[in-house]
Amino acid sequence: MSLDLLPDAFLTRLQRIVPESQWYSTLEGFQRPVPTCFRVNRLQATVDAVLSELSDQGIRCEPVAWREDSFVIDDTQRRLLTSSAAFNEGRIYIQNLSSIFAAQVLGVQPGEEVLDLAAAPGGKTLVLAAAMENRGRIAAVEAVKSRFFKLKNNIELHGATLVDCYLKDGRQVGYKVPERFDRVLLDAPCSSESRFYTKDPDSYRYWSEKKVKEMQRKQKKLLRSALMALKPGGTLVYSTCSYSPEENEVVVDKALKKMDGRLQVLPVSLPFDNFQSGLTAWAKKHFDPQLQNSVRILPSETMEGFFLCLLKKL
């Protein structure tokens, strides 16, 4: 079985995280390529116009039940999609549905001031910009220079005029602009466990429990910065594409303790059933009971694994 290629320690840990009823469907996610999904960029086109354009090129699009601007295509048509004018001129953006949903959960409104703290390559930033109808302001921060320029190019190509891009260390933002933003999105750098693919050894070659803990240290500092930048009464989404509790519940639990009653984990309403509630214990540690309101999206034929937690600063 190709799963034998994945690190034993990773699979052992994963079996303790994922419910038995969803264990085999989760494993299947490591054995298939990332599904091809895209979102129509309503800042530059209408859904009907884009679907008509793609149909004329022979691209068959299946609608996503819970989001009217998002679609799935067969993987055999991916190259046709990426060579289309709609893709190259910014009328669509290829993005996994889990990533789209993480940005959707933040619930941004036109006119707000929003921070995207680890923004590259810009997919979630663009989801926010479309929801805000280009009204208000988004500060999109990225620390890695090569990724920053990719972010900047995507923002310009897709016509998100309310976005200001910053090449900065996200861990310092909260100190420089405390309590400035109505909402904050932190899709934190992580070990990318949900993106392991058995046919791509590079996707999991460098995984280790040591790396998980290294990512956790960075995530804690980023979340602290994000919370400092958030206005009282504001909301924040913390997300990763990792399964590890050390990168997810442990990070949020630390923030809850530091905030000492001034931070609340809000429940998330999910329009699909491939998920599990957040853990309240791991490795002999018990977490704040509120963490059962966080969620792990489990892989499906159209979605990657994802962790997300919706927080409110009281």
Side-chain angles (χ1 to χ4, degrees):
M1 179 184 277
S2 57
L3 285 168
D4 294 340
L5 300 171
L6 297 178
D8 288 340
F10 167 71
L11 290 173
T12 299
R13 286 161 50 86
L14 187 66
Q15 195 159 21
R16 294 166 53 201
I17 297 166
V18 176
E20 185 177 353
S21 61
Q22 293 170 299
W23 172 242
Y24 289 106
S25 61
T26 300
L27 293 182
E28 286 172 359
F30 300 121
Q31 299 179 87
R32 57 177 171 245
V34 176
T36 302
C37 313
F38 71 88
R39 182 183 55 81
V40 174
N41 176 20
R42 290 189 284 190
L43 296 176
Q44 303 206 123
T46 65
V47 171
D48 288 345
V50 168
L51 290 181
S52 176
E53 179 182 353
L54 295 179
S55 178
D56 289 345
Q57 296 172 57
I59 299 173
R60 300 177 301 280
C61 307
E62 293 294 327
V64 173
W66 49 269
R67 193 170 169 101
E68 62 181 16
D69 64 358
S70 299
F71 300 85
V72 182
I73 66 166
D74 190 273
D75 285 339
T76 59
Q77 295 198 304
R78 184 181 178 94
R79 183 168 292 183
L80 194 58
L81 187 69
T82 56
S83 64
S84 69
F87 175 78
N88 289 296
E89 295 171 8
R91 290 188 291 282
I92 65 171
Y93 188 93
I94 294 177
Q95 187 172 12
N96 190 266
L97 296 180
S98 298
S99 175
I100 293 173
F101 185 73
Q104 177 179 313
V105 166
L106 190 57
V108 294
Q109 300 296 318
E112 292 182 331
E113 189 164 18
V114 177
L115 172 65
D116 188 348
L117 195 54
K124 295 181 189 66
T125 316
L126 292 169
V127 174
L128 302 177
M132 294 170 70
E133 301 169 355
N134 257 346
R135 291 184 283 141
R137 176 175 178 265
I138 299 174
V141 175
E142 176 54 47
V144 180
K145 184 178 280 190
S146 59
R147 288 173 57 80
F148 168 78
F149 287 112
K150 188 170 185 179
L151 163 70
K152 206 168 187 306
N153 289 339
N154 274 331
I155 295 304
E156 291 172 359
L157 175 65
H158 293 84
T161 56
L162 80 169
V163 179
D164 295 321
C165 297
Y166 299 92
L167 178 59
K168 292 200 176 292
D169 186 339
R171 292 171 290 189
Q172 303 303 317
V173 171
Y175 295 96
K176 295 182 178 180
V177 283
E179 299 191 344
R180 173 163 182 167
F181 296 95
D182 299 295
R183 301 180 199 262
V184 178
L185 174 63
L186 172 55
D187 182 39
C190 69
S191 61
S192 302
E193 292 172 342
S194 71
R195 294 180 179 171
F196 291 177
Y197 180 34
T198 52
K199 292 184 180 178
D200 178 14
D202 285 342
S203 68
Y204 54 85
R205 190 190 307 277
Y206 304 105
W207 180 92
S208 69
E209 293 182 75
K210 181 180 178 182
K211 180 179 179 181
V212 166
K213 290 176 181 176
E214 286 173 358
M215 299 308 302
Q216 182 199 79
R217 286 192 284 273
K218 182 182 291 188
Q219 292 154 350
K220 284 180 177 177
K221 290 176 181 178
L222 282 167
L223 182 54
R224 181 179 181 186
S225 175
L227 288 166
M228 289 175 68
L230 184 64
K231 291 178 181 178
T235 53
L236 180 153
V237 164
Y238 174 80
S239 65
T240 76
C241 56
S242 173
Y243 291 106
S244 290
E246 291 89 344
E247 300 181 71
N248 297 317
E249 288 93 343
V250 172
V251 173
V252 178
D253 187 63
K254 178 77 170 177
L256 289 167
K257 286 182 169 66
K258 269 196 170 302
M259 295 289 285
D260 192 24
R262 293 178 291 123
L263 189 62
Q264 180 181 4
V265 182
L266 300 177
V268 177
S269 176
L270 288 92
F272 42 79
D273 58 10
N274 51 301
F275 71 93
Q276 69 179 107
S277 298
L279 305 179
T280 55
W282 174 257
K284 298 181 181 178
K285 293 182 180 178
H286 291 272
F287 307 138
D288 190 309
Q290 294 185 79
L291 276 161
Q292 63 187 343
N293 285 335
S294 63
V295 295
R296 262 180 195 76
I297 299 172
L298 299 174
S300 70
E301 290 186 357
T302 58
M303 302 183 80
E304 292 179 331
F306 226 83
F307 174 87
L308 63 92
C309 185
L310 179 61
L311 298 161
K312 182 173 184 178
K313 187 176 183 180
L314 305 177

